[in-house]
Amino acid sequence: ATHAALLRRELNSGGVAVLDGVLNAVQVKALRSEALNLKLAATPQLRDQVRDDRIAWLAAPDECDTKGLPALGDAARLLFGFAHALQERINSVDDGSSAPVLNVCLAPPKHVMLAAYHGGDGSIGYVAHRDNIPKARTKEVGIGVENDRQVTILLYANEGDWDAEKDGGCLRCYPGADEADDEGDQPGSISQDVAPRAGRLVIFRSRDLLHRVLPVKSNGRIRVALSAWLLDGGA
């Protein structure tokens, strides 16, 4: 099956699509070096022990280029390009299903988020959440807000010897979790861990997939990821 057909099936099922080797080792090393030299800031959610990553927002690939960050610019360009291809193709791929992946018109990302999680004692990661939740549930859930995000795209830039068991930092997903399940701990819930492997691309439906980032356990390890979101074009 083509990558697009695979992605369509995973997204239709509410699951997670994973593509490896999107960046090679040289590209990952350059991207990681630039990312860790940026001035990153903790989010307000750190106070509530929700997440402990440090982030920066990249408005567009050209902005990175003008700031002398060519590897980040190339990575952002890759995410924007992949999002554009996904936007154009995913609902038209023939995989034997006539059901659309999403019943909205998709719009390309407006920016890319860089996030770095530092390892060691007291590491939090990011508690279970969805990247987009219905407005009616925002007060009940207490984490996140309703927004335009429809499809989440992640790109990892970690060392090639990252050991998920020793270093932690996996993306723990709860495919098929009930809409009312905010922790992944309801009876019958299943989990799937995706290691933050260098050059790996991960895609899922922003509103549907309950997920969390597990704490980075090893002192001195820093988990680096770029995130972009396909948006609701009608919003």
Side-chain angles (χ1 to χ4, degrees), residues 1-231:
T2 65
H3 286 327
L6 171 64
L7 293 175
R8 178 188 170 101
R9 284 199 297 271
E10 291 294 339
L11 292 175
N12 263 333
S13 69
V16 186
V18 178
L19 297 176
D20 284 325
V22 174
L23 295 180
N24 62 37
V26 173
Q27 292 170 316
V28 169
K29 183 177 180 179
L31 171 58
R32 184 177 178 82
S33 176
E34 289 182 2
L36 294 180
N37 279 315
L38 285 179
K39 184 177 181 180
L40 306 179
T43 75
Q45 291 170 303
L46 175 61
R47 292 193 298 268
D48 299 322
Q49 299 290 289
V50 170
R51 59 192 286 190
D52 63 357
D53 55 335
R54 303 171 192 177
I55 68 170
W57 293 96
L58 311 174
D62 291 346
E63 178 188 357
C64 297
D65 295 338
T66 58
K67 291 182 177 180
L69 301 168
L72 275 166
D74 287 344
R77 198 169 288 110
L78 183 150
L79 286 176
F80 275 52
F82 195 93
H84 178 74
L86 196 61
Q87 173 195 5
E88 292 293 321
R89 298 178 57 196
I90 199 165
N91 285 332
S92 63
V93 173
D94 182 11
D95 65 349
S97 171
S98 60
V101 173
L102 295 162
N103 292 316
V104 297
C105 176
L106 295 176
K110 294 179 180 178
H111 48 236
V112 170
M113 185 185 76
L114 168 67
Y117 292 83
H118 291 245
D121 294 340
S123 175
I124 299 169
Y126 196 152
V127 302
H129 67 284
R130 292 177 175 87
D131 286 355
N132 183 2
I133 60 175
K135 187 175 182 179
R137 298 202 66 228
T138 55
K139 289 184 179 179
E140 175 188 347
V141 174
I143 298 173
V145 295
E146 184 173 41
N147 53 61
D148 299 339
R149 297 171 180 174
Q150 295 294 325
V151 178
T152 299
I153 307 174
L154 307 174
L155 177 63
Y156 294 121
N158 296 309
E159 295 100 332
D161 63 348
W162 189 280
D163 184 325
E165 184 174 346
K166 180 182 71 175
D167 299 320
C170 283
L171 178 73
R172 176 160 292 174
C173 305
Y174 302 92
D178 186 86
E179 184 179 304
D181 185 356
D182 301 317
E183 301 290 341
D185 57 0
Q186 292 193 0
S189 292
I190 60 171
S191 64
Q192 173 187 352
D193 285 357
V194 179
R197 183 178 297 169
R200 169 171 280 180
L201 194 77
V202 178
I203 304 171
F204 55 85
R205 291 169 65 152
S206 307
R207 188 183 285 268
D208 295 338
L209 187 73
L210 181 68
H211 60 284
R212 63 174 301 194
V213 177
L214 298 182
V216 177
K217 297 185 284 188
S218 300
N219 284 311
R221 286 292 207 188
I222 305 175
R223 178 192 190 272
V224 176
L226 292 177
S227 304
W229 293 271
L230 276 168
L231 307 173

